[in-house]
Amino acid sequence: MPRILAIDYGQKRTGIAVTDELQIIASGLTTIPSATAIDFLKDYFAKEKVEAVLIGEPKQMNGEPSQSASIIKGFVTHFTNHFPEMKVIRVDERFTSKLAFQSMIDGGLSKKQRQNKALIDEISATIMLQDYLSHR
């Protein structure tokens, strides 16, 4: 069975998470510089079967798009130009960074470890993906 991949795209860094082959468990894969996202994904898709890609949709509390929405919309366009056959699913990413930070606290990570923004991005992508798996 192909995997599902989640992308928490940001201006500087992009967190990536992926399911197991049975699409039951979401796991953090990596965090990469956003400028290298398409090249990373080309490489990953050549090695692994992926049936769909979740991309976070940043919203404000009132449901309106956040300031970073236009950056992510540009990435989605760029992504679909490179991977026209790939199914893209947009998911609400509100609170994922806060949940990621809280999970780091709950996991006993030190204050210094919790300052690792790359880890927060990877955990955020994992939370988005696990939430999607739980609700489908």
Side-chain angles (χ1 to χ4, degrees):
M1 201 171 179
R3 299 172 189 271
I4 299 173
L5 187 124
I7 299 173
D8 182 23
Y9 187 83
Q11 210 164 2
K12 295 178 183 177
R13 290 173 314 280
T14 296
I16 299 176
V18 68
T19 64
D20 61 320
E21 291 176 342
L22 297 175
Q23 298 182 3
I24 297 170
I25 299 169
S27 301
L29 183 63
T30 190
T31 300
I32 57 171
S34 293
T36 67
I38 295 297
D39 289 336
F40 175 87
L41 293 167
K42 281 180 186 176
D43 212 35
Y44 189 80
F45 294 158
K47 296 174 188 169
E48 296 287 342
K49 282 187 163 186
V50 176
E51 83 174 28
V53 173
L54 305 180
I55 301 176
E57 190 168 14
K59 295 181 181 181
Q60 297 178 37
M61 291 297 294
N62 64 4
E64 294 292 316
S66 74
Q67 290 178 342
S68 60
S70 63
I71 294 165
I72 292 155
K73 186 176 181 182
F75 172 74
V76 171
T77 300
H78 194 56
F79 179 90
T80 54
N81 288 339
H82 279 87
F83 310 105
E85 72 291 343
M86 186 63 67
K87 180 179 177 183
V88 174
I89 302 166
R90 300 298 308 274
V91 294
D92 188 348
E93 66 174 40
R94 281 182 283 190
F95 309 115
T96 56
S97 293
K98 288 181 182 177
L99 290 170
F101 189 76
Q102 187 60 50
S103 72
M104 293 169 80
I105 291 170
D106 295 345
L109 271 64
S110 70
K111 186 174 182 178
K112 184 173 177 107
Q113 290 170 313
R114 293 191 309 259
Q115 292 172 344
N116 180 350
K117 292 182 181 182
L119 183 57
I120 292 172
D121 293 336
E122 185 178 325
I123 294 171
S124 293
T126 308
I127 290 169
M128 273 192 320
L129 185 51
Q130 192 63 55
D131 190 51
Y132 173 80
L133 293 173
S134 297
H135 288 96
R136 69 173 182 155

